[in-house]
Amino acid sequence: METIISAPKTDTFRFRINPEIRKQVEEVYAQNGLTLTQAINVFIQQSINVGGLPFAIPAESAEVRKAKALNRLMSELEKGEQSGDPIPAEDVYKMLGVEL
């Protein structure tokens, strides 16, 4: 089986990226002697080698924590609405540590 390094490169793949992010990532890879294209090829080869993403994605990433917190908040709001015992908005803000 050919690797990314030895395989002929006859296809083109284009993607959009923020110019500032591109500059930052090119600097990171340049420190390791790679161009952005070479780094992407390494990423692709490693994905093939491991049969998936070549790095672990934490189960509790910031986005997962945010989604869980939002779900909990919505659940608590629904319970509060169904309880028939309204809490004044000022008290809710105080409980959440939000200053107006």
Side-chain angles (χ1 to χ4, degrees):
M1 176 168 81
E2 288 186 302
T3 66
I4 296 293
I5 300 300
S6 63
K9 294 172 183 58
T10 58
D11 198 9
T12 301
F13 177 78
R14 293 175 50 119
F15 68 98
R16 295 188 181 280
I17 186 171
N18 176 286
E20 288 299 315
I21 292 172
R22 179 180 176 158
K23 182 180 175 191
Q24 290 175 21
V25 77
E26 284 177 331
E27 289 172 6
V28 168
Y29 293 137
Q31 291 172 0
N32 292 288
L34 297 171
T35 65
L36 180 56
T37 298
Q38 291 168 328
I40 290 170
N41 281 316
V42 169
F43 174 85
I44 291 168
Q45 182 65 58
Q46 281 302 107
S47 296
I48 292 168
N49 291 348
V50 301
L53 289 173
F55 49 82
I57 299 176
E60 285 296 315
S61 68
E63 287 302 313
V64 170
R65 286 193 307 273
K66 186 169 38 172
K68 285 181 178 180
L70 183 57
N71 284 338
R72 181 173 176 217
L73 175 61
M74 296 308 291
S75 174
E76 292 298 319
L77 286 172
E78 190 174 316
K79 285 181 196 175
E81 286 177 349
Q82 294 173 358
S83 74
D85 190 16
I87 300 172
E90 303 82 38
D91 292 348
V92 173
Y93 286 120
K94 228 183 260 186
M95 288 188 303
L96 295 173
V98 176
E99 295 183 30
L100 296 176

